[in-house]
Structure formats: C-alpha cells, structure tokens
Amino acid sequence: MAGLVLLAAWITWSAVVGLRLDQGFSLTSPYLVAPIALVLGVAGGQALARYAGDSRLHLALALAGVVLVLGVLLTKEPGKEPLGYANANAALAVQLVAMCGLGLLSTPRGRRGSLLAALGLAVVAVALNRSAAGVAVCLPLVLVIGGVCWRKPVHRWWSVVLGTLIAVGGAAFILRLAQGPTFPSWARGTFDTVREQLWHDAVALWERRPITGSGPGSFRDATALSNDPDTSTAHSSVLQIGAETGWVGVTLFGLVGFAGLLWAARGKAPQAVVAAVAWTALLVHSYADHLLEFAPVVLTAGVVLGWAAASIRSGQADSEELDVSEGERPVTR
C-alpha cells in the first residue's frame, strides 16, 4: 500500500508542477505511464510466480530471448528493435535475465535447459546492443544468480541495504559529475560528449527551480539538442526528474526506488536477492540513459519484483527441495 501511495504522490506532484507552470500534463507522460506500468508489472509478476517451474513459461522466456536477439540482428542503427533504442533493449534483456534466474530457483536441475537457453539469449542480447552500462549491470546480476542457485542465502535484508547504498551513491556520483564545468578526462572516455552537454543542460534547468522543477517535458525546450528525438531527454533519470520536478520529485523517485527493494524483500531470500539486484541494476542504468520512458522496461522490472515478492506464498519450492528422480513429478515439501 505504501508503494502505491508513493507512486500516486509522484504522479500528483508531477501533474501539479506541470499545471502550475503552464507546462500541462500529458496522459502519455512517463511520469504517468511508468508508475502505471510498474504497478501492472508487479501484479502480473505475482500471478506469474505460481508458474515459476512451468515449462511453458520457460519456453516463453526463451522465445522472448530470441525476439531480443533477432531484433538486434535484423534491424539497422539507430532504432534497434524491439524497443527502437539499443540501451532500452539491453535494459529489457537484463530484466529477462532476472526472470530466468527466478525460474531457475524453482526448477530442478534436469529441467533447466530452456531457462538456461533463455538466460544465455538475454545476455547475448545485452552484448549485441553494445550497451556498456547494460553489460556493467548485467554481469553482476548473472554472478548473483549463479551464486544463489549454487548456495541459497538465508538472509535477504543485506540486499536491500546494499542496493540502497549503490542506488544513492550512483545518483550522487552522476549529479556531482554533471555539476562540474567539464567532464574529467576519464569520464570523457566513458561517457560521450553528447551526454556531457545533455547533463549540463539538465543541471542548468534544475538550478532555475531547484525545489519544484520546471515541469514535465520542460527539458526538451532547455537543450539545443532537442531537434533529434534521441537527444530530447537528459539521458539520466535523476537529472531529468530533478530538472523537471525538482528535489521534491527526486525525493519521491528515491522513495519509490527504496520501496521496490522492500517489495522484493517480501519474498524468499534467494528470489528477493535476485530481484533486488535486478531493480538496482535498472535504477543505476537509468542514471546514465533514458530508460524509464520505455513502458516495457518498467513493466518487466515490475514483473520481477512481483514474482519475487509472491515467492513466499505462491507455493513454489526451491530447486533442491524438489524430487528430481527420473520419471517422478516435482514434489513440494
């Protein structure tokens, strides 16, 4: 319930700021669409959790991996399918990796073939989209999935604490970097000059109205690069939210991020850890790219959170608790 209240507060604040500053508030605004997609994803994930060990779901995940890979291979730059943007495709693939991880935790070793194939396809999709940030957040997730499948953790709250520290630290780092007059040499080797200008433009807009922001959609008019649709956003969730909805909006965004970690922690420890890492991965990736504008990415992240949270009451068993003798059906203890 608290999460829904926070999302409603974020939507309301964004609408109030936009209307107060005569910016308006579009029904297609990410400030409205993303929260709705997240709620729908969580609800869908809770329903999906009961089928965690179902081979039909595993096949669907594998097919999703095929779609992501073919989307890269069969389309030209810059609008790589299925989402039309390579980094968003990579972020979607990272969440697919997390879904595969959740499935592996409830599937006996002899029936993991399609899940492992799906996971491999998702990792390949991240690499093919050539998303440096996507690769950077995907690798730890894959390692965590391998770790929890090998030796399941008993405690979950450490993942909430660690995820919070990483998310807050990452946001502070990006803000500090964007506030400097120029990027240091190492940063220019990591981030392109276009991002440097976009981030400086976002900081300049944020400084005009630091508390309330300049209204949803106002960044487009504040950058000279907006003639290209690909550069009409700040390519940073925290900077764009700050510029358009101020510190109030950033605070609400941070609380929503924290609520996501708490929601993941409602589930069994192994599933909670996987979901917390996937959620943190999306937050951190979004600091250096525009991802939250893509409803499928947020929807899938919600599915991961909902699936993990429902694992505590869905009746799904961990893989080593299943009787995997040949010819026998899995039995939940």
Side-chain angles (χ1 to χ4, degrees), residues 89-110:
N89 292 336
L92 182 61
V94 170
Q95 297 304 311
L96 179 59
V97 167
M99 292 177 68
C100 293
L102 294 175
L104 287 170
L105 288 168
S106 299
T107 305
R109 287 181 175 83

Side-chain angles (χ1 to χ4, degrees), residues 43-277:
Q46 290 178 323
L48 205 61
R50 71 188 67 177
Y51 303 104
D54 195 312
S55 59
R56 293 169 296 180
L57 175 59
H58 304 169
L59 179 60
L61 294 177
L63 290 175
V66 171
V67 170
L68 286 171
V69 170
L70 291 181
V72 180
L73 296 177
L74 300 181
T75 55
K76 298 180 179 180
E77 297 282 3
K80 290 292 187 180
E81 297 297 339
L83 299 182
Y85 181 57
N87 283 295
N89 292 336
L92 182 61
V94 170
Q95 297 304 311
L96 179 59
V97 167
M99 292 177 68
C100 293
L102 294 175
L104 287 170
L105 288 168
S106 299
T107 305
R109 287 181 175 83
R111 295 171 49 205
R112 292 177 175 178
S114 54
L115 277 174
L116 292 172
L119 192 152
L121 286 166
V123 172
V124 169
V126 174
L128 288 176
N129 276 285
R130 294 185 294 178
S131 171
V135 171
V137 299
C138 184
L139 289 179
L141 176 59
V142 172
L143 292 175
V144 166
I145 290 172
V148 299
C149 286
W150 173 60
R151 185 172 184 177
K152 292 181 172 55
V154 176
H155 304 289
R156 60 177 68 84
W157 292 105
W158 63 268
S159 64
V160 175
V161 174
L162 184 59
T164 300
L165 292 175
I166 292 174
V168 172
F173 170 77
I174 292 297
L175 180 57
R176 182 65 178 271
L177 184 63
Q179 286 176 327
T182 59
F183 277 10
S185 56
W186 65 264
R188 289 188 172 180
T190 304
F191 305 105
D192 53 57
T193 56
V194 172
R195 270 182 179 73
E196 181 176 9
Q197 181 175 340
L198 290 171
W199 291 3
H200 285 156
D201 290 342
V203 168
L205 181 61
W206 193 349
E207 289 174 345
R208 295 180 192 175
R209 292 187 174 90
I211 304 300
T212 63
S214 298
S218 58
F219 178 78
R220 182 186 297 269
D221 299 324
T223 179
L225 300 178
S226 63
N227 58 322
D228 184 345
D230 188 47
T231 52
S232 60
T233 62
H235 280 250
S236 170
S237 59
V238 66
L239 294 177
Q240 178 130 9
I241 291 169
E244 297 185 339
T245 62
W247 277 109
V248 175
V250 169
T251 300
L252 290 171
F253 174 55
L255 290 174
V256 169
F258 183 61
L261 292 171
L262 292 179
W263 192 265
R266 293 162 62 97
K268 293 181 179 179
Q271 285 86 347
V273 169
V274 170
V277 173

Side-chain angles (χ1 to χ4, degrees), residues 303-330:
V303 169
V304 173
L305 292 177
W307 183 339
S311 65
I312 199 70
R313 55 182 175 81
S314 66
Q316 59 180 283
D318 292 337
S319 58
E320 78 258 9
E321 296 176 334
L322 299 172
D323 187 343
V324 294
S325 299
E326 186 175 353
E328 295 184 8
R329 294 178 60 84

